[in-house]
Structures are given as C-alpha cells and as structure tokens.
Amino acid sequence: MLTIPKEKLPIHIACIMDGNGRWANSRHLPRQAGHRAGADTVERCADFCMTHNIPWLTLYAFSSENWNRPKTEVHALMLLLHEFLKKRLHQMMEKGVRLHAIGALSRLPARTRKLLQDSLEATSGNTRLNLVLAISYGSRGEIASAARKIAEKVSRGELQPDAVTEDLFGEYLDTAGMPEPDLLIRTSGEMRVSNFLLWQISYAEIYVTDTLWPDFGDRDMEAALLDYSRRKRRFGAL
C-alpha cells in the first residue's frame, strides 16, 4: 500500500514502455504477443495513477523511428493501436480518462487516425486522468517543427526574434499547455531516453527498472514513486 505523502508524489509521470519484444522472446512467443501484453500494462498504470490522484500520464507508444521496423511488425502495431482505441474508449469514458495524443499523427493509417480523433473528442470533457499517447513521436522532429513555425512567423514580421523565449518556444511544441513530466520511468533496464520528450524532461527525475514493460505492475510503480519521493529536486539551484 502506497504511503507516500501527496506532496511527495509527481503530478506528471512519463514512461518509456520498453521490453515487449524481449518479454515475448523469453516465452517463445511472437513479438506481437509482447505488444498485446504491454497494452494491458497501460490500463494497469492508468488505474494506478487514478487511484493515487496522479493527474498526468504520458506513454511512449510508437516512436518516429519505429516506422523503420519490419512492415509486418508496424502493421501489427497499428492494428493493436486501432484495437486499443476501439475497445478502451468505453472504459476511458466510464473512468473519466481524457485522452491526448502527440506526434506526427498524419502518418497513421487513415482509419486509425479517424478513430483517434473521435476518441480525443469523446473524452475531452473527462478530468480524472490525462492520458497522453506519444504516437509516431520523435522529440528532435517536434523541436525542429516548433523552430520552423517560429522562423516562419519571424520571417513574416509577426514575431520579433528577441521575443522568442523558452516559454514561447514551449507553446509551439506538441505538449503545449501540458505540465512537464516530474518523473520519467524507463522499463527493461536500458539507459537512454530514445528521443522522447527531450525538451520537456530537462529537470525530470529518471528512474530505470530492469522489469520488462508487460511485467510492470503496481509494485514496480510503487518502487519508482518511493525512489522519487526521496529525491531532492533543486532545478539547478542549491
């Protein structure tokens, strides 16, 4: 049972969901089975956050680099995303989950993109948990896109160069209006951030666990939060 004081809990948790393939391989199952098991973990984590009043959860569901995987795996992942949205919308509405999505969503298959947009609109009034799916997302691309938009405004004379501050730049990112992550969790033991929220995690606390994403459960989340609660967050100051 989690006994951490509310003020010691993060407002926003971001997760790099890694290890689906290794989980499947260790069980002599196809990689798709690992991705499917990982989708169940998404629901567990969302439920955990709602139980403990953590209002923001961002999940790295599909990176811009993942498009380079074998076509059969990409196709299976898109089918799984479509299935997830179709099957879980009722649950999101019932539980009060508001869905958000960041990334190059125009690259998604048309029917999945339409289903995603419908889900975003349907859940827009929910307030219990903000669930952000990073889909077809790459942070370098996001930052470059923001820079282009600002440069275009400067070139048209709509914005002065000295008006470009960190706060203004943030308004052009996919995550505009969202709080920055307090805690970044990476499963599977890999020690890298994989082009995920590079701007937004500047001062996030990072927690890495060897647990593979499909096995990541309440006890793992509790361990991450206990570790987070012991950190002294200085944000560059003393």
Side-chain angles (χ1 to χ4, degrees):
M1 185 68 180
L2 196 64
T3 57
I4 301 169
K6 182 179 179 181
E7 63 271 15
K8 290 285 188 177
L9 290 174
I11 291 173
H12 188 172
I13 297 174
C15 296
I16 299 175
M17 308 183 292
D18 196 18
N20 291 343
R22 274 166 283 174
W23 183 92
N25 290 338
S26 69
R27 289 161 174 76
H28 307 289
L29 297 170
R31 287 177 62 85
Q32 290 89 332
H35 295 311
R36 192 169 295 279
D40 292 332
T41 305
V42 170
E43 184 175 355
R44 288 201 302 271
C45 285
D47 286 345
F48 182 97
C49 287
M50 285 184 283
T51 298
H52 296 92
N53 299 311
I54 297 169
W56 287 86
L57 175 65
T58 296
L59 303 174
Y60 204 6
F62 189 87
S63 76
S64 53
E65 291 78 18
N66 286 159
W67 291 111
N68 298 320
R69 291 187 176 185
K71 289 183 179 180
T72 53
E73 183 172 356
V74 170
H75 181 67
L77 286 167
M78 290 297 107
L79 285 177
L80 182 59
L81 173 61
H82 191 92
E83 179 184 296
F84 176 87
L85 293 169
K86 195 169 185 179
K87 287 187 174 181
R88 311 286 171 133
L89 177 58
H90 176 73
Q91 290 177 321
M92 288 189 282
M93 294 301 297
E94 193 174 62
K95 294 179 179 181
V97 176
R98 179 177 182 179
L99 185 66
H100 305 259
I102 59 175
L105 306 179
S106 62
R107 298 188 67 181
L108 299 178
R111 73 185 193 114
T112 303
R113 191 167 65 247
K114 173 67 164 57
L115 182 58
L116 175 61
Q117 185 58 43
D118 289 345
S119 299
L120 297 175
E121 292 174 3
T123 63
S124 63
N126 295 341
T127 58
R128 192 175 176 199
L129 173 69
N130 290 279
L131 176 62
V132 186
L133 297 182
I135 310 169
S136 186
Y137 175 85
S139 190
R140 286 182 173 183
E142 176 193 28
I143 291 169
S145 175
R148 283 194 299 272
K149 292 173 185 175
I150 292 172
E152 288 168 1
K153 283 202 167 186
V154 170
S155 68
R156 293 195 299 265
E158 298 172 8
L159 187 66
Q160 293 301 311
D162 58 7
V164 181
T165 62
E166 291 182 14
D167 287 341
L168 182 136
F169 194 90
E171 294 174 8
Y172 288 83
L173 296 173
D174 292 356
T175 54
M178 301 179 187
E180 294 184 347
D182 304 295
L183 173 63
L184 172 68
I185 298 173
R186 178 162 192 148
T187 58
S188 88
E190 299 291 349
M191 303 294 287
R192 54 180 179 268
V193 294
S194 298
N195 197 19
F196 182 50
L197 300 176
L198 300 179
W199 178 278
Q200 297 87 343
I201 63 169
S202 295
Y203 284 102
E205 299 297 323
I206 299 176
Y207 179 86
V208 178
T209 174
D210 289 333
T211 302
L212 303 178
W213 179 252
D215 292 327
F216 190 81
D218 287 1
R219 288 188 178 181
D220 300 286
M221 185 66 90
E222 288 170 4
L225 293 179
L226 182 61
D227 182 84
Y228 172 85
S229 71
R230 293 169 176 165
R231 306 276 182 99
K232 295 187 183 298
R233 305 189 73 199
R234 299 186 178 89
F235 301 95
L238 294 178

